[in-house]
Amino acid sequence: MRNNMDKSGISRRSFLTGAAAISAALAGAGLTGCAPKVVGVAGGAAGAAGSGNGQTMGFDGTGAMPWLGEAPTISDSDVAETLDADVVVVGLGCAGVPATRAAAEAGAKVIAIEASAQLNSVASDMAILGGETMAKWERGDGFLDKHMVVNMHMEEGSHHSSFGIISRYCDESGKALDWFVKGCPDMYIASESYEEVPEANRAHYMYPYFYPMLETYDYTKEDMPCYPTSVGFSSLATAMADNLKRAQEAGAEVRYNTKGVKLITADDGSIAGIYAQDTSAGKYLKINAKSVILATGDYLANEDMMKYFAPACVENGNQILSLDLDAQGNYTNVGDGHKMGVWAGAAVEQWHAPMIHHMGGGAGSDGRGVIGNNGFLWLNLHGKRFMNEDVPGQQLENQVELQPQRMAYQFFDSSWPEQLKYFPAAHGIACIYKDEALPDWTPAGLKINVRCPADIEAAVAEGRCLKADTIDELLAKIDGMDVQVAKGSIERYNQLAKAGSDEDFGKSSQRMFALEKGPFYAAECGVALTLANLGGLESDSDCHVYNTEREVISGLYVAGAPQGGRFNVQYPISLKGLSAGMCMVFGKIAGENAAAGK
């Protein structure tokens, strides 16, 4: 079984397109479950932004930004309609919707514009600390040491992130979730993770992750903990729609198929509004406003920006999963907010964070790896073990990228049902065994952590996992594997597992399982999909935007993916659903501050 991606063309290639590319990525790597429905990838597809020349083009020392282009020239004579508002929200996603509601409820006259034909919500989880809602699951205020959480986040971002932004998120996320939930009066709140939710509520409910907590998991004793902070939604899009309805009831005007094009600046450099464009009719709108909030998403579908800020993703062949489309089929997450900000004098932070947490080998269409990204034995094509496998999916991805042909195999045996409970209660991990599959109505987020025998057998039948009665037979099925070296590596691993001490890589003894009981399994692990590239305009915890002198640009606010200071170097793993949680929290903060002119 070989990865169906072209190894010879993986270096410095342009993005792949179409269903075939997605199938290859799903077969060779894992989705995170954050966005399980595949729509498309960037590159020659309609609307994808990029040069397509196949060359990376990072910072060259001159200060040039080849992705930026020239700001469009728009005069009042080009404008078909002029509007006035106190606050304009640009983008209706996980940040823009809360921003719209918060500003409208504060009494501001709000106009929200969205390039798509509907609001965009591709996430399913939020990481939250404290608050009344979390207290329902004994995770209210005081449950976690917030300084511990902040310091862990800062470490994961190599201290390039903003301490003030991360700290404020931890301080206010609980109350923000309480506010968000009040905007969803018909949403059912489950009492525990795998509650038998009443049939009438299965389309719209919220649940906690890992409640009750697995008896075998203690995050305080983990080198790389996953804190029990997270909630999931059967449909976050429905919850967002509820909150947008609250905004409209408070007077907000919403215009779909309308994209932001250029900020309007006053003589003193402050923001005085925005030019927008009706994507279906092509006409320009001029919206005069005291404040503008940029909540336009990331730039994953802009090839030139990816080459500039994340060239390694392009060189490693990480295909992208991009879901946001306008009425014409063009991608909307192409960095429009970033560009408008820079044209208006904003600074872009230096260190950006690709979101590429590996989900294990042989992911299916539901985004679940065959046996999760669990730290069983992993071998590269040379047959060698190459890491302490007891690390989260982001770090697994980093290690796989270093292997020959960017490829590895994950091995386990028939004792897996008894072994799952010893793995971390964390994102992407299969840590719960069930005899039967979960009901169809169970959200994808909850299914990620559960495996039953039918899951594994389906993966074998579909060719996503190899199975054999003996180790020799299994290794013989792996094209390109050095069988003799691999046999030696497995024998060595078995010795270490039985001794209860990983002298080679230092893996926790509770997750060292000898390969002894046939049949045996192997899942192919190539590079995973990039789900987002997070990096944005330099900002503070009040969502103000800084210019290149690190002075505040009056009237300009940012929230969500275009907000800098949140994630740097790599996407952190200690808080599941952190990006969407931050979008909600800082969307609310941006809306309140923009309405108050604060």
Side-chain angles (χ1 to χ4, degrees), residues 103-118:
E105 290 182 344
K109 180 180 180 182
V110 182
I111 297 176
I113 61 175
E114 164 58 46
S116 302
Q118 67 284 315

Side-chain angles (χ1 to χ4, degrees), residues 65-73 261-262 339 343:
M65 291 180 280
W67 53 269
L68 182 59
E70 296 292 332
T73 300
V261 176
K262 182 181 180 182
K339 290 183 177 183
W343 288 329

Side-chain angles (χ1 to χ4, degrees), residues 223-540:
D223 291 334
M224 302 187 74
C226 184
Y227 301 119
T229 61
S230 303
V231 298
F233 298 82
S234 58
S235 173
L236 183 53
T238 302
M240 286 292 172
D242 284 348
N243 274 267
L244 187 58
K245 183 178 180 181
R246 303 288 87 76
Q248 291 173 295
E249 290 171 348
E253 178 182 350
V254 175
R255 293 202 173 201
Y256 293 110
N257 298 312
T258 305
K259 64 178 292 185
V261 176
K262 182 181 180 182
L263 294 167
I264 301 170
T265 56
D267 292 340
D268 62 359
S270 63
I271 300 304
I274 188 171
Y275 288 108
Q277 188 175 31
D278 183 324
T279 59
S280 58
K283 66 179 182 180
Y284 285 108
L285 293 74
K286 180 180 182 181
I287 310 176
N288 301 308
K290 301 173 184 176
S291 302
V292 175
I293 301 171
L294 296 175
T296 47
D298 77 333
Y299 53 81
L300 188 61
N302 185 316
E303 188 174 354
D304 286 345
M305 291 187 74
M306 287 295 292
K307 287 178 177 179
Y308 187 84
F309 290 110
C313 292
V314 181
E315 187 166 356
N316 288 328
N318 297 104
Q319 297 168 41
I320 73 166
L321 181 63
S322 188
L323 303 175
D324 300 333
L325 303 170
D326 65 18
Q328 310 303 318
N330 300 314
Y331 292 102
T332 61
N333 58 332
V334 291
D336 286 339
H338 297 70
K339 290 183 177 183
M340 286 188 285
V342 173
W343 288 329
V348 180
E349 65 183 335
Q350 293 177 315
W351 296 89
H352 295 204
M355 184 190 290
I356 325 176
H357 24 280
H358 209 294
M359 299 298 281
S365 59
D366 59 2
R368 298 191 299 165
V370 173
I371 197 77
N373 54 31
N374 294 36
F376 289 105
L377 172 65
W378 290 49
L379 300 179
N380 63 23
L381 287 176
H382 288 171
K384 294 182 178 180
R385 187 180 176 207
F386 54 91
M387 64 175 171
N388 172 351
E389 300 94 342
D390 188 21
V391 293
Q394 187 74 52
Q395 286 70 32
L396 285 171
E397 169 66 22
N398 297 345
Q399 287 295 300
V400 169
E401 289 175 359
L402 297 175
Q403 303 315 306
Q405 298 187 43
R406 298 175 176 87
M407 175 68 63
Y409 279 81
Q410 179 188 32
F411 292 83
F412 58 102
D413 71 9
S414 295
S415 296
W416 67 266
E418 306 96 70
Q419 296 167 353
L420 292 192
K421 64 183 179 182
Y422 296 104
F423 287 97
H427 187 42
I429 294 286
C431 54
I432 299 171
Y433 172 81
K434 291 186 180 294
D435 291 327
E436 302 293 336
L438 291 168
D440 290 340
W441 53 264
T442 307
L446 287 175
K447 290 182 177 180
I448 282 177
N449 302 111
V450 174
R451 293 297 182 278
C452 69
D455 291 324
I456 307 302
E457 293 311 311
V460 173
E462 295 165 6
R464 296 185 289 111
C465 183
L466 300 174
K467 177 182 178 181
D469 290 330
T470 69
I471 291 292
D472 285 347
E473 292 173 355
L474 183 66
L475 292 175
K477 291 184 176 184
I478 303 176
D479 185 19
M481 176 72 72
D482 189 318
V483 173
Q484 293 306 312
V485 174
K487 287 178 65 175
S489 297
I490 292 172
E491 290 171 2
R492 170 63 174 169
Y493 187 78
N494 286 350
Q495 292 172 355
L496 296 173
K498 292 175 181 179
S501 177
D502 184 6
E503 297 177 1
D504 294 347
F505 290 91
K507 184 160 74 176
S508 170
S509 60
Q510 71 171 326
R511 293 162 193 154
M512 292 283 291
F513 301 113
L515 291 164
E516 296 182 310
K517 182 181 177 182
F520 301 92
Y521 302 87
E524 180 184 303
C525 305
V527 295
L529 294 165
T530 307
L531 300 185
N533 206 57
L534 301 172
L537 307 178
E538 290 195 8
S539 64
D540 61 18

Side-chain angles (χ1 to χ4, degrees), residues 169-219:
Y169 168 78
C170 289
D171 287 339
E172 298 189 19
S173 61
K175 290 183 179 179
L177 180 66
D178 297 339
W179 170 82
F180 183 79
V181 167
K182 288 177 181 176
C184 307
D186 299 324
M187 184 172 67
Y188 181 83
I189 300 179
S191 59
E192 58 183 52
S193 299
Y194 294 96
E195 176 188 335
E196 182 71 19
V197 175
E199 184 174 358
N201 303 110
R202 291 172 183 172
H204 189 21
Y205 73 96
M206 183 176 71
Y207 54 86
Y209 275 102
F210 302 115
Y211 184 81
M213 177 52 69
L214 304 182
E215 294 181 359
T216 52
Y217 185 69
D218 183 349
Y219 69 87

Side-chain angles (χ1 to χ4, degrees), residues 41-104:
V41 291
S51 63
N53 60 16
Q55 299 297 311
T56 56
M57 51 178 188
F59 181 71
D60 64 1
T62 67
M65 291 180 280
W67 53 269
L68 182 59
E70 296 292 332
T73 300
I74 304 171
S75 66
D76 286 348
S77 61
D78 300 318
V79 173
E81 184 178 8
T82 300
L83 304 170
D84 295 302
D86 296 320
V87 177
V88 176
V89 179
V90 190
L92 283 173
C94 283
V97 168
T100 301
R101 179 187 161 195

